[in-house]
Amino acid sequence: MDSTAFAPPVALLEREHEIEHVQSALRAASRRAGQAVVIEGAAGLGKSRLLEAAGAQASGLGFRVLSARATELEQGFPFGVVRQLFERALLNAAQDERERWLGGAAALGAEVLAGVPAPGSGASLGVPADDPSYAWQHGLYWLAANVSSDSPLALVVDDLQWSDAPSARTLAFIARRLEGQALALILATRPIDPGTTPDTATLAADPDATLLRLSPLSEASIGSMIASRLSGTPDRPFTRACVEVTGGNPFLVGELLSEAAVRGLDPTSENAADVAAIVPRGVSNAVLLRLARLDRPTRALARALSILGDGAHVGDAARLAGVTQAEIESGMASLVSAGVVESGGAVRFAHPILRAAIYEDLSPAERERLHCAASKILDERGAPVGQVAAQVMHTEPAANVGAVALLREAAREALALGDATGAAALLARALDEPPAAADRAAVVLELGQARARAGTPDAVAPLSEIVARGEDEAAIVAAAIELSGMLFFSGRGAEGAAVLRRALERLPAASSGREQLDVALLGASYTSVSARREADATITALRDPGGPARGVLEATTLATLAMDELMHLRSAAKAGDLAVRSLAAGLPSEPHRGEAWAIVGLAVLAATDELAAALAGTDEILARARERGAATTVANISALRSFVCIRLGDLVAAEADANAAIELAPDLLGAEFVVLALAVRVLAGLERDETPESLRRVIGQAGIGYDTEFSPSTQLRYASGVLSAAAGNHEAAIEELLDCGMEHPALGGENPAVLPWRSAAALSLAELGRDREARELAEDEVRRAEAFGAPRALGVALRAHALVGLGGERADTLRQAASVLAASPARLEYARALADLGGALRSSGSRGAAREPLLEALTLATRCGARALERRTRAELAAIGVRPRTTDRAGPGSLTPSELRVVGLAADGRTNREIAQTLFVTEKTVETHLGRAFRKLNISTRRQLPDVLARASN
Ligand SMILES: Nc1ncnc2c1ncn2[C@@H]1O[C@H](COP(=O)(O)OP(=O)(O)OP(=O)(O)O)[C@@H](O)[C@H]1O
Ligand SMILES: [Mg+2]
């Protein structure tokens, strides 16, 4: 064996620029300004070498370095890369250290790190059924953050192009939250095809990451590589020939020079022509030449290893290659000294290009035979199913029942860990096998479910097949629910409802599956306009089961009836009672598709002025969802809570909740109700004196528009109309507001307790002098609100009626509005009516009588945080010569809603990290808010907070 075939390490050439970037990223990270660096380059350009250097740099700067390398065959192992990163460090950590690392939200991440016990993994920390992916990412992020609080942490990942999807998503999640953490992410990847690995492509294209694209080496550098490998300074033509053949790729240069060294070629002008002859068919040829010099059993071993991939067991490789114990030992030694395989514990190719060259040299028949044999060997030894399945994926279909079972099991595991795309690929292959006739339907269903969860439209075909022709009742139900859910989600509600209906027709009358389908149909009708139309007949036929709800079907039925009572403007008292009885089923911890009745029940309470009960319900769900890291639930329920808070007149809380929902939504699938938060954000912003232009921008940035198919989005249309009016654009306002009443009653246009669009439009009409229309609309709204019987809506309608009505009756009608609102929990509307009453009295000359309502309005407006109203009321008071003391603008009143929320948690004694975990934001965000709040409050430590807040609330 010629040892010169194995290239000695060469100094890193021409990477000064990259090294400098990495260095400054690391320096920044050690100052807690976390950074991500992505090194990109084609095979062999020197990414791994650079990564090695980066790792060494990081260690030198006192970083803890955790590294991982993705491999082609492991792409199908969910969280494989993340496990490589953290598993060893966690196992090697001392008990107390491990507990610290997995403390708080990080415990959620332990679920995916096999072999690492979650500390105190009680029920409260269980992974939610709803959106485990977010909770895992959130947990793993905080694990990295916790590890980095001892000493700065560098996460170094090589060959990212082969990363499993869940790991790529997790790294992307971390990359977006690096600020304020002593964390550096250093990633290397070959150029990525976004079509095949979208998650990895997103990560590599992260706009905040520094992208370093590696260039080929220059002629000068290649000259120096030649000089260090072959005898003597190379002649220019020889160097040029090397550049020509390799394109300056250092890996290829190395291979070329190894071969030249074996042949005893000197780097002279005369030998330049031989360079091209060494590698007539590209460089893999040079690799194969190297291999050709080894003996037969060693070559067989190398081929077996190329089939099994990095991390193969030597025993498996030996069985696969059919070599003896003695042959393995000498074979492995030869492969190491030939530089094909690295020395040390796990079997690893010295370079991925080597594995690819050996693998690609196999004939298709040979590959097939070896993959088949490998799957059997791995299966017999009890290797993880994912590993066995990876082998099966490379074989031709053979109607093998065992293979089908194995692929299905691997798919189940992948799905459980959030890799729906991976699961779908495994199941598609299982279907090709094909399965035994008796199993086919089950595989089709699983394939459809996996594709639906991956969000791909090709889920429709397999799921429709089961709904139309399946024979198993449970399968029909499952397929219909999955398919309809997917259709609702993509705005195709009518089709979704039709699917559920078709499934209902296929089930016998006594089937227990009907209940689930009924619940799904009603659940869809809550938010999908076309599903609501489809469900009209079903809803009309619903019977009140009587008494408090027991179970999901009763809760759903009652919530649907409550909603119907509300939307059809029947009775507020009855709607409230139905809602309360639906909620008696017990609040689900994560209301999602099947349990959306809870959201509906609470929304009905909000519309019928049962605001305290609605608030208590949202708080209960939120507390549990936060603990579980169930972000989708937190986003949806925060949106609902913002809606309750604005009705209570707590504008600060309304805005903080709305912001929380809006900020979380882009990371989530299924945070549908943010549209509600956006509407509240706009209405609260107007009251808090933000300009209409800036609020229009808020709508634009949220990227959520009015969606005629999604019923809660009428709230946004209403808010947008009010915004246009505030901007003085009354024509546009009238158009948008009148639109709110046009369609199906389920959109809320009938009932002013849902959408007081008539009164809002009336005010704009009056501005344009269209008084008669204004009065008609306002009167209509008063009649509706009276009929329904919700005081807030009636007060709002009466106020508008007074403002657009005849001057002589104005004060009386406003007094009536104020007295109705006084008895309701709607503080903001009450303040508004009082302010207008004071204004009307003043302008009619009753200055003395104006004083009391104006002072009361001022107190309430200040308490609500309604700055616009406060300003107007002060102006009215000034006009009658009253100048109350201005509120303390340096106190908590000067804080933004988000600052107040952070300050409130800090005053309760929570650490920045705990606050960040609770609110799903970074610690840096918490620090920034607290810093600003401290400056405004003129305090220096958080110990002063409780005092300052207590003083302010007195
Ligand atoms: N800047 C450099 N100067 C000198 N030699 C280098 C340089 N970069 C890489 N090499 C050599 O080239 C070979 C290939 O480098 P490396 O393994 O880092 O490539 P890679 O980009 O990681 O390829 P792959 O995409 O296949 O993993 C190694 O043997 C390495 O020593
Ligand atoms: Mg590499």
Side-chain angles (χ1 to χ4, degrees):
M1 187 58 244
D2 187 347
S3 64
T4 55
F6 181 23
V10 189
L12 201 57
L13 301 166
E14 286 182 64
R15 296 293 182 243
E16 295 77 13
H17 163 80
E18 285 81 3
I19 292 280
E20 216 167 274
H21 268 288
V22 169
Q23 186 78 11
S24 71
L26 289 168
R27 288 238 152 83
S30 62
R31 292 190 309 266
R32 298 190 56 216
Q35 299 284 320
V37 178
V38 177
I39 300 164
E40 190 194 271
L45 268 188
K47 301 178 294 294
S48 299
R49 271 299 301 274
L50 187 55
L51 219 50
E52 232 171 80
Q57 273 175 287
S59 299
L61 288 170
F63 275 71
R64 180 193 301 274
V65 179
L66 300 181
S67 39
R69 181 173 113 166
T71 66
E72 214 167 349
L73 278 170
E74 279 181 328
Q75 209 162 358
F77 296 131
F79 290 107
V81 166
V82 163
R83 282 184 190 169
Q84 270 188 55
L85 280 175
F86 291 108
E87 229 161 37
R88 173 126 12 111
L90 280 165
L91 287 172
N92 291 342
Q95 169 94 16
D96 59 332
E97 193 174 37
R98 182 163 53 234
E99 276 169 17
R100 197 151 31 85
W101 286 353
L102 291 173
L108 294 165
E111 300 275 343
V112 296
L113 301 170
V116 180
S121 56
S124 72
L125 287 173
V127 169
D130 189 7
D131 47 7
S133 299
Y134 187 96
W136 286 328
Q137 288 167 12
H138 174 66
L140 291 164
Y141 167 70
W142 285 106
L143 170 61
N146 288 349
V147 174
S148 76
S149 51
D150 298 342
S151 56
L153 173 66
L155 298 177
V156 179
V157 180
D158 198 1
D159 291 326
L160 193 69
Q161 73 276 4
W162 291 319
S163 170
D164 61 278
S167 292
R169 281 201 289 272
T170 302
L171 291 170
F173 187 94
I174 295 175
R176 288 197 302 276
R177 290 165 180 77
L178 288 171
E179 57 163 19
Q181 299 293 354
L183 245 172
L185 230 53
I186 307 183
L187 315 168
T189 181
R190 290 186 187 171
I192 289 173
D193 173 5
T196 51
T197 47
D199 296 298
T200 315
T202 311
L203 168 58
D206 187 321
D208 290 331
T210 310
L211 178 65
L212 301 175
R213 280 218 172 88
L214 296 190
S215 312
L217 299 185
S218 67
E219 191 178 315
S221 291
I222 290 175
S224 71
M225 283 177 82
I226 300 171
S228 73
R229 293 292 306 280
L230 306 179
S231 51
T233 314
D235 289 341
R236 198 92 194 267
F238 188 91
T239 309
R240 286 234 179 97
C242 290
V243 173
E244 182 119 328
V245 170
T246 63
N249 181 309
F251 175 85
L252 305 186
V253 174
E255 290 298 309
L256 184 65
L257 296 178
S258 296
E259 187 59 24
V262 170
R263 296 188 183 188
L265 215 60
D266 287 333
T268 59
S269 298
E270 302 78 69
N271 287 339
D274 290 348
V275 168
I278 290 179
V279 279
R281 283 186 293 122
V283 162
S284 74
N285 225 39
V287 176
L288 297 173
L289 280 174
R290 182 143 46 119
L291 210 64
R293 296 200 182 88
L294 305 172
D295 60 18
R296 200 201 51 82
T298 306
R299 291 201 307 271
L301 195 58
R303 285 197 287 270
L305 288 170
S306 83
I307 290 282
L308 293 166
D310 282 340
H313 287 193
V314 179
D316 294 341
R319 279 188 68 192
L320 189 57
V323 298
T324 65
Q325 188 60 36
E327 284 167 339
I328 315 176
E329 277 166 29
S330 77
M332 287 305 291
S334 313
L335 288 174
V336 168
S337 67
V340 174
V341 166
E342 281 179 3
S343 58
V347 184
R348 220 172 106 147
F349 279 90
H351 202 280
I353 296 177
L354 294 169
R355 183 190 97 82
I358 296 167
Y359 182 79
E360 272 147 31
D361 191 46
L362 295 167
S363 73
E366 221 171 343
R367 255 182 248 163
E368 166 75 15
R369 183 183 63 76
L370 286 170
H371 279 302
C372 265
S375 72
K376 293 204 182 77
I377 291 168
L378 289 170
D379 197 23
E380 278 163 23
R381 152 163 90 67
V385 277
Q387 231 165 55
V388 190
Q391 293 295 332
V392 177
M393 290 295 280
H394 286 94
T395 61
E396 295 288 321
N400 179 338
V401 184
V404 171
L406 195 112
L407 290 164
R408 287 174 74 186
E409 194 183 332
R412 257 192 300 280
E413 277 187 10
L415 204 56
L417 286 168
D419 186 9
T421 313
L426 290 161
L427 290 162
R429 176 65 186 75
L431 203 58
D432 279 349
E433 186 67 6
D439 291 336
R440 188 174 178 282
V443 179
V444 172
L445 173 63
E446 287 162 17
L447 173 63
Q449 284 174 320
R451 284 182 178 164
R453 292 193 196 160
T456 58
D458 53 4
V460 175
L463 292 172
S464 306
E465 180 188 326
I466 299 294
V467 174
R469 288 191 293 282
E471 275 161 24
D472 178 44
E473 286 177 20
I476 294 173
V477 171
I481 288 178
E482 191 81 49
L483 178 56
S484 61
M486 186 182 149
L487 291 168
F488 292 134
F489 220 66
S490 46
R492 293 157 67 184
E495 286 167 73
V499 165
L500 292 171
R501 210 166 270 302
R502 213 169 309 135
L504 273 165
E505 281 159 17
R506 295 213 51 225
L507 296 193
S511 168
S512 60
R514 299 187 73 93
E515 176 173 327
Q516 274 170 280
L517 292 172
D518 284 335
V519 167
L521 188 62
L522 295 176
S525 75
Y526 298 148
T527 53
S528 158
V529 174
S530 41
R532 181 66 183 70
R533 283 204 184 90
E534 277 275 325
D536 266 346
T538 312
I539 292 174
T540 315
L542 284 181
R543 292 265 162 286
D544 180 346
R550 283 150 314 196
V552 174
L553 181 61
E554 284 191 8
T556 305
T557 303
L558 286 164
T560 310
L561 291 172
M563 191 69 155
D564 228 41
E565 192 74 15
L566 173 69
M567 293 303 189
H568 287 96
L569 193 70
R570 293 194 201 109
S571 146
K574 177 97 185 288
D577 169 62
L578 288 161
V580 166
R581 285 193 285 128
S582 88
L583 295 167
L587 291 178
S589 39
E590 286 144 30
H592 42 94
R593 239 178 251 151
E595 303 203 293
W597 55 268
I599 295 184
V600 171
L602 292 169
V604 170
L605 289 183
T608 53
D609 296 341
E610 302 291 344
L611 298 176
L615 193 67
T618 54
D619 282 346
E620 186 182 329
I621 299 179
L622 274 175
R624 280 187 276 160
R626 287 222 149 92
E627 200 178 327
R628 287 174 153 81
T632 307
T633 298
V634 170
N636 282 330
I637 301 295
S638 295
L640 181 58
R641 191 177 190 275
S642 74
F643 184 72
V644 176
C645 287
I646 197 170
R647 288 184 167 226
L648 278 166
D650 187 346
L651 293 172
V652 172
E655 192 174 322
D657 281 327
N659 280 339
I662 294 167
E663 279 157 24
L664 265 175
D667 281 327
L668 304 167
L669 214 75
E672 304 177 279
F673 290 93
V674 267
V675 69
L676 208 57
L678 196 56
V680 171
R681 174 72 184 77
V682 168
L683 297 174
L686 281 175
E687 284 302 337
R688 295 191 39 81
D689 237 358
E690 286 181 59
T691 64
E693 301 76 57
S694 72
L695 291 167
R696 198 52 83 186
R697 275 198 299 280
V698 171
I699 299 182
Q701 280 157 6
I704 303 164
Y706 171 60
D707 173 358
T708 49
E709 168 59 21
F710 186 61
S711 39
S713 88
T714 38
Q715 294 289 340
L716 180 59
R717 185 157 50 170
Y718 167 78
S720 173
V722 172
L723 185 56
S724 296
N729 191 350
H730 293 289
E731 301 279 1
I734 292 165
E735 195 182 319
E736 282 171 283
L737 291 165
L738 291 185
D739 251 5
C740 292
M742 296 283 191
E743 289 158 41
H744 197 283
L747 287 169
E750 298 290 324
N751 191 339
V754 181
L755 287 168
W757 63 268
R758 291 177 182 80
S759 54
L763 295 174
S764 280
L765 285 165
E767 288 288 337
L768 297 181
R770 291 157 67 178
D771 289 339
R772 201 176 46 79
E773 291 165 83
R775 269 177 221 146
E776 273 171 20
L777 270 182
E779 273 163 23
D780 186 15
E781 185 160 303
V782 171
R783 273 195 301 275
R784 286 167 182 271
E786 263 170 349
F788 185 62
R792 177 183 175 278
L794 180 57
V796 168
L798 284 169
R799 169 178 170 262
H801 187 234
L803 296 181
V804 304
L806 299 174
E809 297 161 13
R810 187 163 297 161
D812 279 346
T813 315
L814 284 169
R815 204 171 276 120
Q816 214 184 324
S819 90
V820 169
L821 287 165
S824 86
R827 295 298 83 186
L828 178 61
E829 283 73 22
Y830 181 38
R832 242 189 236 141
L834 286 171
D836 289 330
L837 173 61
L841 290 168
R842 178 196 54 81
S843 61
S844 67
S846 314
R847 295 166 65 100
R851 193 186 141 95
E852 270 315 306
L854 286 174
L855 282 173
E856 178 65 13
L858 180 63
T859 309
L860 285 173
T862 312
R863 208 174 287 158
C864 291
R867 294 194 181 146
L869 182 59
E870 188 186 330
R871 195 164 29 74
R872 282 203 309 277
T873 311
R874 274 185 196 287
E876 284 290 351
L877 280 164
I880 57 168
V882 182
R883 287 177 207 286
R885 238 174 0 109
T886 49
T887 37
D888 185 8
R889 278 277 178 253
S894 64
L895 303 184
T896 66
S898 304
E899 286 163 6
L900 258 180
R901 170 144 304 183
V902 168
V903 160
L905 289 166
D908 283 347
R910 312 257 200 121
T911 64
N912 285 8
R913 180 152 296 194
E914 286 164 350
I915 297 171
Q917 293 180 354
T918 306
L919 300 178
F920 299 105
V921 297
T922 63
E923 274 177 280
K924 178 77 177 185
T925 305
V926 174
E927 270 167 34
T928 311
H929 284 328
L930 268 186
R932 289 210 194 104
F934 279 23
R935 253 172 279 130
K936 289 181 186 172
L937 298 173
N938 197 16
I939 60 173
S940 52
T941 83
R942 61 175 70 210
R943 253 174 294 136
Q944 298 167 270
L945 279 176
D947 265 359
V948 176
L949 296 180
R951 237 180 294 135
S953 65
N954 286 336

